[in-house]
Amino acid sequence: GQNSFIIPVMIMQYVLVFFTSYLIYRIFYLLTGNTRIAFFAGLLSTLNLSTIFFAYNVLSEIPALFIFTFLVYEVIMYYTQVDKFYWILAGFLSGLMVLVRFNTLGLPLILIGLVLSIHFSGNGFSKFKKLLTDVAIVSISSLIILFLSWTFKTLSRMR
C-alpha cells in the first residue's frame, strides 16, 4: 500500500545509526587511542534520546548525522594520514550533506576554511601549490555532487 516504504526506510535508518555509532567509536579511538573511551562514546551516541527519536521517525536527521559524522571522520583521517583521497571524500560528503539538509549550505565553505587552517597552522605556510590543490579538490568534489543532483533533476523533468 501507500505506507509500504516506511519499514525499509526505518530499517535503513537503524543501519545508519549503527554505522554512525561505529564512526564515532573510530573517531574517539583515533583521538584518544583508548578503546574503552571509544566504546562508551559510540554506545552513548546510540543511546542518545534524540537519536532514538529521529531513528523511529522518517526524517532527514539520521542520514544527515551519518554523513556529518563520516565527514568528520574523513577530515581526521586526512589529518593523521595526509592522503588526498580523504579530502575528495570529505568534499563529496559535504556536497551530499547540502542535498540532505539544505540548512548546511555553508558546510563546503567551512570545509575549505578547515583546509586553509590546516595548511597555515603548524610549521608555517605550506607550499602554495599544495594549498591550492587541496582547496580545489574539496571545492570541486563538493560541487560535483551538487551539480549532478541538479542535472538529474533537470533531465527527469524533461521526459
Side-chain angles (χ1 to χ4, degrees), residues 60-78:
S60 64
E61 275 77 4
I62 295 300
L65 176 65
F66 171 74
I67 294 167
F68 184 75
T69 306
F70 197 15
L71 174 74
V72 169
Y73 176 74
E74 292 304 317
V75 169
I76 291 171
M77 289 299 293
Y78 173 80

Side-chain angles (χ1 to χ4, degrees), residues 28-66:
F28 273 83
Y29 182 74
L30 286 170
L31 294 176
T32 66
N34 188 326
T35 56
R36 180 178 280 169
I37 291 173
F39 174 77
F40 282 115
L43 181 65
L44 289 175
S45 73
T46 304
L47 298 177
N48 181 352
L49 293 178
S50 296
T51 305
I52 294 168
F53 173 78
F54 286 118
Y56 182 73
N57 294 299
V58 180
L59 299 169
S60 64
E61 275 77 4
I62 295 300
L65 176 65
F66 171 74

Side-chain angles (χ1 to χ4, degrees), residues 2-16:
Q2 189 177 16
N3 292 330
S4 62
F5 70 92
I6 289 179
I7 304 248
V9 170
M10 286 181 64
I11 291 170
M12 187 61 185
Q13 289 204 154
Y14 285 116
V15 169
L16 287 177

Side-chain angles (χ1 to χ4, degrees), residues 105-117:
L105 189 59
L107 188 60
L109 296 175
I110 293 170
L111 191 60
I112 291 169
L114 183 62
V115 170
L116 293 171
S117 68

